[in-house]
Amino acid sequence: MAEPKTAKRDALIDIEKKAQKLWEENKAFEVDAPTIEEYADIKTIHQAHPKFLSTTAYPYLNGRLHLGHGFTVSKIEFATGYQRLQGKRALFPLGWHCTGMPIRACADKLAREMEMFGKDYVVPEETETPQIEKLNLQETERVDPTKIVAKKGKVVAKATGLKYQFQIMEQVGVPRNEIHKFADPQHWLTYFPPIATSDTKKIGYKIDFRRSFITTDANPYYDAFIRWQFNKLRALNKVKYGLRYTIYSPKDGQPCMDHDRSSGEGVGPQDYTCIKLKVVEFSPETQATLAGNKDIEGKKIFMVAATLRPETMYGQTNCFVGVDIKYGIFKTHKSDELFLMTERAARNMAFQNLSPSNGEVSKVADLVGRQLIGTQVKAPLCTYPSVYVLPMDGVLATKGTGVVTSVPSDSPDDYAAVMDLKKKPDYYKVQPEWIVPFEPIPIINTPTYGNLAAPTICAQMKIASQKDKTQLALAKDAVYKDGFYNGVMVIGDFAGKPVQEAKPEIRKQLIEAGEAVPYNEPENLVMSRSGEECVVALMDQWYLDYGEAEWRAQAEECLKNMNVYTEETRNAFEKNLAWLNQWACARSYGLGTRLPWDHNFLVESLSDSTIYMAYYTIAALLQGGSVDGSVPGPLGIRAEQMTDQAFEYVFADGPLPTDSDIPQASLEKLRREFEYFYPLDVRTTGKELISNHLTFTIYNHVALFPKKYWPVSFRANGHLLLNGDKMAKSTGNFLGLAEAVEKYGADATRLALADAGDSGEDANFEDVTANACILKLYTLMEWIQETLAAKDTFRKTGREAYNFYDRVFESHMNKLINQAEADYEATFYREAVKSAFYELMAARDFYREACALMEIPMNHDLIMRYMEVQTLLISPIVSHWSEHIWGNVLGKEGLVVNARWPKAGPVDETVLQEIEYLRRQLANVRATETQALKKKKKGKTDVFEPFKPKKITILLAAKFPEWQEASIAVLHGAYQPDNKDKLFDDDKVKKELAAKGLMKDKKVMPFLHDLKKKAAEQGPSVFSRTLSFNETEVLESHSEYLRRILGYETLTLVKSDEVASLPEFAEDDYVRAAEQSVPGQPTFVVKNI
């Protein structure tokens, strides 16, 4: 019977299940601090008992874990395995995040659908209901059940097939008759954690599950922990209350923070100055439209334009609108004033105390942009008494107010548009008197562009029209930067002042004079999980005062001393610390911990997830393995006993609490766990969390903990692509974590994740790589088993009797042990796979092939050492396979996950250089043969036939000819290794060769041409003129190896300076080859016999 195609994978999966059972039985990943009785002195404990605490962002449990989760977690998982090999107590805990809106929003949606369709969600027949494929939740995942998509019409609804939340739950795998339970948000908190735990066990993560927990007040212990955090932050004046602008969801009635958004994460409020341009006289068309409108009678109407540059208002020459944009006239907070703008802007203003009442959008008239052309307005600070409303191509309804004030002296976009209008007034349907008399007004002088920056740069860049979008964007960036950093005002009350000083003063003056209002809107589109476009609201709220000078200085000090692994990551942190300020930390809707002093609010999800790494250290003692804290831990401590004073004693070297009856011995055990495992050694998460979570983590640690507990390192990785494309359920390019394990097995998945990439750039998990890993692991296992069965046939000689190939293999192994150690330390896991797996196997392959070629048995001790080293070096990544090989095949005592990193012996660099030299010569001979074959293709008769009997002559040079020495020096001086497009500066080469009189020598250019090709292939080693070994002796010693592996009948070594005196080598090809030969780079002549 034929073996099934999946037999190798299935065999590996069977091994994996047995390894997981073994780990479970031995509680392999349960890690504790040394007890006080074992080691009392905390000051020296880490020297005697080294530790390693690593964490990753705890997943949000609104569904199954996917491969992207697996990629980020793997960075910690591999580090944990490696640090265990180093003899450290390596702790990897993982909790489950449930705070925030997503679960609550979906539960509420299910409740509404239950009201519509009943407990069994039976949709009336007239409502089209797509058929949902029923899937087993324990085996696969397809849809994020909290992803709410904005309604986009029937066509899209039919295309997605998921109109209702209950359908999403059904596709996830929840049986229809159980879906109603999810209308209670607390049910999510009991349903998904066991599934996530199971999925992480299936892939073999080395997690101490005793320390797992869920967040929110459903877990009384974690709830008490967050209350301590916020009470302390408030006592330190880090939490404040007051009016501030924040991204807000009107539908939810609360701030919409990053984790509450379906899109727009990281987007904050953009602060504008809204200039009030008083309407002097509407255009005739507008007047006709508004005729008889009682709501505008006796009212002052202002066209309001949002600007980031209030200092330029002195230079207004007109006002722009989009001809097809829909505008409205809206009531404002002042009964006698109306604002003309887009409805989107009015909706934002309604939550910023600029409308009749909070949230009220009261429109009294509708207009279209083209109707407004020719309207006359009075612009604040403007030199001209009044200006006109004109059309502009690039006005957006989705940015600002849809009204754009025009300053052609300092805005390249405005200048280009004005010039278009002046050139073609008839085309744009404007009257010449609306535009021709209004010349640009000098307002800011800059050293680069003078006092009319926009006209100047448009002339320099030859910008001819407002349609030159790319050039205008560059011009705008250049002018705005030069104006802000180097500009000086030349007009108005602040003439002579730098723009940086004048800007806030002019804004203040405009607002106080009633000629402008402050206005904020989201920097970009933000959609809430409720499917609504968010606004910016000005509201009283509790906020964390990130950015406060003293606190920021502490955060920057912490970052300075941290390892963040890449300069890209450090730059991102520094930029974020310079930018980040007040952050709303509370909401009224969702799940979470209540603010201790104001139970109307919940701590939001990015604020209760900044120091939970510390909670991991004591979770096992408090919760006893129950993720919701429903079962007290081994110390018997009740949640209400964990007072703020108790937490302060444990986490901040505080005094014994006076408000808790926890026994002192129990408190000391809690403190011992924390002070042993802290500080956090490494934190890994996606790079997108630098802007919030990771920076918040730094801020909170420096505020709440003594300096000795500040984090040691953060590692940020990119997103995970799947087969080169973004993972997305909507496209079908998606893989759940459990699905990957089922498809490839745990170890092949882990190996492919490690091979996917390490940098901050997006990594790529490839199906072909994962499948190849299955074959490689199975084949290596078979080889080890077969080799052990034949071990009695191996050479049993001591190290003193090692031959050349033994010494090469030993040095290769020792060098790769060191290299793999460096790769793991640097958290470069793709490189670790290369050194600990691929290159180590390649070293073995060379050794066994060389021994077979030379008909020498392999050395018993070396092969046994290789199998042990191979198993250990790859075990942090390929843990199950290694466990099987270690115990069941090699018969080692104990678990491989508890073993120790192998000690590297001496590395004989000379033999490694010798073998590298021989390999280079093998490659060079192959190249010579290829070159000889080309002659055959060209139809030449006297050609080399590589598959017929053949002989090879190797020509060695004892020294460089003087012309070669000089030529090499010239070429080396023109070598540009960092320039991939042009490796050599050819002009410099020609110039220096001519200066040395070498251009006349016909041998020089062919020689250098050949050397260039070798440099491109082999790097700068081709310029080396000294060898660490005797080239002639090496070739003589290994001539038989070279002859056999190359398949030649004879191999002859000839010194190049003797060719001319030897009649048998008088032919031109020998002479030419001898002339090209240099030390370290012999040449070859191949001929048929």
Side-chain angles (χ1 to χ4, degrees):
M1 184 175 177
E3 187 180 72
K5 292 182 179 180
T6 61
K8 292 181 174 62
R9 182 205 65 185
D10 295 344
L12 292 174
I13 289 177
D14 184 58
I15 286 170
E16 290 161 2
K17 290 178 178 177
K18 291 176 181 177
Q20 289 166 11
K21 182 180 179 183
L22 187 65
W23 295 334
E24 192 87 27
E25 291 171 349
N26 285 272
K27 299 180 179 180
F29 308 133
E30 294 184 5
V31 184
D32 297 308
T35 65
I36 296 172
E37 293 74 23
E38 286 177 307
Y39 200 94
D41 187 4
I42 194 63
K43 293 181 179 179
T44 60
I45 195 170
H46 294 126
Q47 286 76 44
H49 299 280
K51 64 90 183 180
F52 183 77
L53 172 62
S54 56
T55 68
T56 186
Y58 47 16
Y60 193 82
L61 272 202
N62 53 0
R64 296 291 291 275
L65 302 179
H66 55 70
L67 201 59
H69 289 118
F71 175 66
T72 298
V73 174
S74 73
K75 303 303 181 185
I76 292 301
E77 155 65 22
F78 301 152
T80 301
Y82 166 72
Q83 296 294 343
R84 290 174 71 102
L85 289 173
Q86 293 295 332
K88 298 179 183 179
R89 298 194 186 201
L91 175 60
F92 175 22
L94 188 65
W96 314 116
H97 200 197
C98 304
T99 304
M101 277 187 58
I103 290 174
R104 178 64 184 272
C106 289
D108 288 352
K109 194 172 183 186
L110 286 171
R112 291 193 296 271
E113 291 171 7
M114 192 156 52
E115 291 176 2
M116 295 165 59
F117 308 124
K119 185 177 177 180
D120 294 327
Y121 296 95
V122 178
V123 182
E125 290 184 7
E126 62 268 22
T127 304
E128 183 175 334
T129 306
Q131 293 297 312
I132 304 296
E133 179 186 357
K134 292 183 178 180
L135 302 172
N136 185 340
L137 184 59
Q138 298 300 322
E139 295 178 359
T140 186
E141 175 195 15
R142 290 281 185 252
V143 176
D144 177 353
T146 60
K147 184 173 179 59
I148 300 174
V149 182
K151 294 180 180 178
K152 299 177 182 177
K154 293 181 179 179
V155 174
V156 175
K158 290 179 180 179
T160 61
L162 298 173
K163 186 176 181 181
Y164 299 109
Q165 182 66 37
F166 80 84
Q167 295 171 331
I168 296 175
M169 303 303 294
E170 194 169 28
Q171 193 178 40
V172 167
V174 179
R176 176 74 70 96
N177 61 3
E178 290 188 25
I179 292 175
H180 69 274
K181 298 177 183 178
F182 289 84
D184 176 5
Q186 298 302 319
H187 186 65
W188 298 67
L189 278 56
T190 60
Y191 189 85
F192 284 112
I195 295 170
T197 299
S198 174
D199 288 352
T200 53
K201 286 183 177 181
K202 285 177 182 176
I203 197 169
Y205 288 158
K206 302 174 185 70
I207 297 169
D208 185 347
F209 285 105
R210 300 172 304 155
R211 300 173 188 267
S212 295
F213 57 84
I214 60 170
T215 63
T216 78
D217 53 9
N219 178 352
Y221 293 96
Y222 192 76
D223 191 54
F225 171 68
I226 298 301
R227 290 199 306 271
W228 163 75
Q229 174 190 359
F230 271 80
N231 278 331
K232 184 170 182 179
L233 287 170
R234 190 184 184 204
L236 293 169
N237 201 31
K238 307 299 185 187
V239 179
K240 298 177 181 178
Y241 188 74
L243 276 173
R244 63 183 300 277
Y245 290 101
T246 188
I247 305 294
Y248 182 83
S249 169
K251 185 173 183 179
D252 299 324
Q254 65 176 7
C256 187
M257 310 314 291
D258 279 3
H259 281 185
D260 304 327
R261 304 172 187 178
S262 62
S263 66
E265 186 171 342
V267 173
Q270 175 66 67
D271 185 26
Y272 290 98
T273 304
C274 224
I275 306 300
K276 296 164 64 175
L277 297 95
K278 186 177 181 181
V279 175
V280 176
E281 185 180 10
F282 275 119
S283 67
E285 190 174 349
T286 303
Q287 290 181 36
T289 301
L290 298 178
N293 190 321
K294 302 294 185 182
D295 290 318
I296 67 172
E297 289 182 3
K299 305 288 178 67
K300 291 178 283 187
I301 301 176
F302 297 91
M303 295 184 70
V304 286
T307 181
L308 297 172
R309 304 188 71 199
E311 72 279 8
T312 66
M313 293 303 98
Y314 296 102
Q316 296 175 86
T317 63
N318 62 280
C319 170
F320 287 125
V321 293
V323 293
D324 295 319
I325 292 176
K326 294 179 180 179
Y327 294 89
I329 299 177
F330 299 88
K331 292 182 180 180
T332 71
H333 59 304
K334 293 184 178 181
S335 60
D336 63 338
E337 291 188 1
L338 301 173
F339 284 177
L340 194 160
M341 56 189 162
T342 60
E343 187 154 357
R344 174 186 169 277
R347 184 167 175 261
N348 272 276
M349 286 190 183
F351 295 92
Q352 298 174 32
N353 297 334
L354 294 173
S355 62
S357 63
N358 188 55
E360 178 186 353
V361 178
S362 182
K363 183 165 59 174
V364 299
D366 285 297
L367 295 166
V368 179
R370 62 172 51 85
Q371 295 176 309
L372 294 166
I373 306 304
T375 293
Q376 194 174 3
V377 296
K378 179 174 175 55
L381 300 184
C382 180
T383 303
Y384 296 108
S386 63
V387 294
Y388 289 90
V389 177
L390 303 174
M392 187 184 194
D393 291 344
V395 179
L396 299 173
T398 55
K399 202 77 173 173
T401 62
V403 178
V404 179
T405 187
S406 172
V407 183
S409 59
D410 283 75
S411 169
D413 288 311
D414 295 349
Y415 178 74
V418 165
M419 295 310 293
D420 281 352
L421 294 174
K422 287 186 175 182
K423 292 174 190 172
K424 301 178 180 179
D426 293 338
Y427 175 81
Y428 288 102
K429 300 178 182 178
V430 300
Q431 300 298 322
E433 60 266 26
W434 298 345
I435 183 69
V436 174
F438 299 90
E439 291 297 321
I441 300 167
I443 53 175
I444 296 172
N445 190 56
T446 69
T448 307
Y449 304 109
N451 61 13
L452 289 172
T456 301
I457 198 169
C458 284
Q460 290 176 354
M461 297 180 69
K462 298 179 180 178
I463 295 171
S465 164
Q466 59 186 312
K467 298 186 186 301
D468 295 339
K469 301 296 185 184
T470 303
Q471 290 289 84
L472 280 170
L474 295 172
K476 176 181 176 180
D477 185 59
V479 166
Y480 283 19
K481 284 182 179 178
D482 195 40
F484 181 73
Y485 292 108
N486 305 311
V488 176
M489 301 297 300
V490 298
I491 192 172
D493 296 343
F494 301 96
K497 280 197 171 187
V499 168
Q500 291 186 64
E501 294 180 21
K503 183 188 188 87
E505 294 295 331
I506 295 172
R507 172 184 163 98
K508 179 181 177 184
Q509 185 184 74
L510 284 165
I511 292 172
E512 288 179 349
E515 296 179 320
V517 292
Y519 167 68
N520 278 249
E521 66 180 31
E523 295 167 310
N524 288 301
L525 178 66
V526 176
M527 297 296 294
S528 74
R529 294 267 183 177
S530 300
E532 176 190 46
E533 182 177 347
C534 292
V535 298
V536 169
L538 178 64
M539 58 191 301
D540 280 319
Q541 58 186 191
W542 293 104
Y543 63 89
L544 286 155
D545 197 15
Y546 296 140
E548 183 270 325
E550 184 179 348
W551 201 5
R552 174 181 165 184
Q554 284 183 296
E556 289 174 334
E557 179 188 352
C558 177
L559 176 64
K560 182 179 179 181
N561 295 314
M562 287 176 65
N563 177 13
V564 293
Y565 298 95
T566 69
E567 280 305 307
E568 176 190 7
T569 301
R570 184 168 298 281
N571 291 338
F573 270 113
E574 290 173 349
K575 180 181 178 182
N576 200 52
L577 283 171
W579 162 86
L580 183 67
N581 55 23
Q582 302 165 352
W583 181 269
C585 60
R587 63 158 65 82
S588 57
Y589 175 79
L591 302 179
T593 292
R594 298 281 169 186
L595 276 181
W597 59 88
D598 189 345
H599 286 189
N600 292 316
F601 292 99
L602 296 157
V603 177
E604 64 94 24
S605 61
L606 277 167
S607 297
D608 83 335
S609 56
T610 57
I611 60 167
Y612 64 90
M613 316 84 185
Y615 185 76
Y616 280 134
T617 65
I618 64 172
L621 295 176
L622 292 181
Q623 298 188 201
S626 60
V627 294
D628 62 356
S630 57
V631 180
L635 297 181
I637 297 172
R638 302 184 310 278
E640 60 267 24
Q641 291 176 288
M642 289 303 297
T643 63
D644 287 357
Q645 288 187 24
F647 280 114
E648 193 70 11
Y649 175 84
V650 173
F651 291 135
D653 296 339
L656 279 167
T658 59
D659 61 352
S660 175
D661 57 356
I662 300 173
Q664 182 175 344
S666 296
L667 287 168
E668 288 175 351
K669 287 179 180 178
L670 292 172
R671 178 187 271 187
R672 165 49 64 95
E673 284 288 315
F674 171 71
E675 63 186 1
Y676 174 72
F677 282 114
Y678 244 57
L680 177 65
D681 291 288
V682 62
R683 171 79 171 169
T684 294
T685 192
K687 62 183 179 181
E688 71 277 5
L689 293 185
I690 292 174
S691 64
N692 44 54
H693 165 69
L694 288 177
T695 303
F696 296 174
T697 296
I698 293 176
Y699 264 112
N700 280 267
H701 272 77
V702 300
L704 298 168
F705 299 105
K707 188 178 292 187
K708 61 185 176 182
Y709 297 132
W710 291 2
V712 176
S713 74
F714 284 167
R715 190 187 191 286
N717 55 260
H719 298 108
L720 183 69
L721 305 177
L722 182 58
N723 296 318
D725 292 321
K726 182 179 178 181
M727 280 212 300
K729 295 168 189 172
S730 59
T731 64
N733 192 49
F734 185 83
L735 196 59
L737 188 61
E739 285 180 287
V741 173
E742 183 180 351
K743 185 175 183 180
Y744 308 112
D747 279 336
T749 300
R750 293 163 64 98
L751 194 53
L753 284 171
D755 196 52
D758 295 308
S759 71
E761 299 303 313
D762 289 347
N764 185 28
F765 182 96
E766 294 187 276
D767 177 79
V768 65
T769 300
N771 281 317
C773 289
I774 295 171
L775 183 60
K776 288 180 185 299
L777 289 172
Y778 189 86
T779 303
L780 180 57
M781 179 176 67
E782 275 194 324
W783 179 85
I784 291 174
Q785 292 168 333
E786 292 167 0
T787 302
L788 283 173
K791 64 181 181 180
D792 292 339
T793 64
F794 298 156
R795 247 182 321 120
K796 295 184 178 179
T797 56
R799 191 171 182 277
E800 67 283 353
Y802 280 0
N803 60 37
F804 173 74
Y805 305 106
D806 295 336
R807 287 184 285 122
V808 167
F809 188 34
E810 180 190 48
S811 290
H812 263 147
M813 268 198 292
N814 290 333
K815 189 166 187 174
L816 288 171
I817 290 171
N818 292 332
Q819 182 59 55
E821 188 167 21
D823 293 336
Y824 277 118
E825 286 287 348
T827 71
F828 293 158
Y829 300 115
R830 173 185 272 178
E831 294 303 311
V833 168
K834 180 181 175 183
S835 56
F837 191 56
Y838 294 117
E839 290 187 356
L840 191 54
M841 282 197 296
R844 176 211 62 177
D845 291 344
F846 169 78
Y847 178 62
R848 65 175 181 170
E849 289 164 7
C851 288
L853 187 71
M854 301 306 292
E855 300 175 5
I856 305 169
M858 294 186 292
N859 183 276
H860 175 275
D861 292 347
L862 274 176
I863 286 298
M864 294 303 295
R865 173 163 167 75
Y866 161 75
M867 289 188 283
E868 180 178 331
V869 167
Q870 179 71 86
T871 304
L872 289 170
L873 261 57
I874 201 59
S875 67
I877 297 170
V878 186
S879 302
H880 307 81
W881 181 94
S882 297
E883 196 66 74
H884 172 70
I885 298 296
W886 185 257
N888 299 328
V889 180
L890 297 180
K892 297 289 185 179
E893 292 292 327
L895 302 175
V896 76
V897 295
N898 293 331
R900 292 293 173 265
W901 187 261
K903 291 184 178 180
V907 177
D908 188 337
E909 290 292 349
T910 299
V911 299
L912 292 182
Q913 289 174 16
E914 288 178 11
I915 197 62
E916 182 58 33
Y917 168 81
L918 291 174
R919 283 174 172 160
R920 269 202 318 272
Q921 306 325 311
L922 290 175
N924 291 340
V925 171
R926 300 297 186 205
T928 300
E929 290 176 342
T930 300
Q931 194 65 33
L933 277 173
K934 289 180 180 178
K935 294 181 180 178
K936 182 178 181 180
K937 291 181 180 179
K938 292 179 180 178
K940 295 185 178 180
T941 55
D942 184 21
V943 295
F944 174 71
E945 297 278 1
F947 303 109
K948 291 183 179 180
K950 55 190 177 180
K951 64 179 180 178
I952 182 171
T953 302
I954 303 178
L955 298 117
L956 299 94
K959 62 178 182 178
F960 291 95
E962 290 184 9
W963 66 268
Q964 285 190 9
E965 289 274 12
S967 299
I968 291 173
V970 169
L971 192 64
H972 196 186
Y975 184 52
Q976 304 173 144
D978 295 330
N979 190 337
K980 295 181 180 179
D981 297 324
K982 191 176 182 182
L983 200 56
F984 293 94
D985 185 341
D986 292 327
D987 291 337
K988 183 178 181 181
V989 170
K990 292 176 182 177
K991 184 177 179 180
E992 293 195 14
L993 287 176
K996 295 178 181 293
L998 293 169
M999 289 293 287
K1000 299 176 183 178
D1001 192 331
K1002 295 181 179 180
K1003 298 188 296 291
V1004 170
M1005 295 312 291
F1007 171 74
L1008 290 183
H1009 177 73
D1010 184 55
L1011 200 60
K1012 280 184 180 182
K1013 285 170 52 177
K1014 290 178 180 176
E1017 296 168 0
Q1018 302 172 20
S1021 62
V1022 298
F1023 302 117
S1024 175
R1025 303 176 199 187
T1026 58
L1027 299 174
S1028 61
F1029 52 86
N1030 187 303
E1031 185 178 14
T1032 303
E1033 288 181 3
V1034 169
L1035 287 173
E1036 287 176 347
S1037 300
H1038 303 294
S1039 60
E1040 182 59 15
Y1041 167 76
L1042 291 173
R1043 186 191 68 78
R1044 291 190 184 193
I1045 198 168
L1046 290 169
Y1048 282 84
E1049 300 295 319
T1050 66
L1051 183 150
T1052 306
L1053 300 175
V1054 180
K1055 293 181 180 179
S1056 59
D1057 56 0
E1058 296 177 357
V1059 167
S1061 62
L1062 298 173
E1064 62 268 38
F1065 301 113
E1067 296 176 26
D1068 288 346
D1069 47 1
Y1070 288 105
V1071 175
R1072 285 196 302 270
E1075 290 175 348
Q1076 296 294 316
S1077 177
V1078 295
Q1081 299 285 334
T1083 51
F1084 312 92
V1085 176
V1086 294
K1087 290 182 179 293
N1088 291 115
I1089 296 175

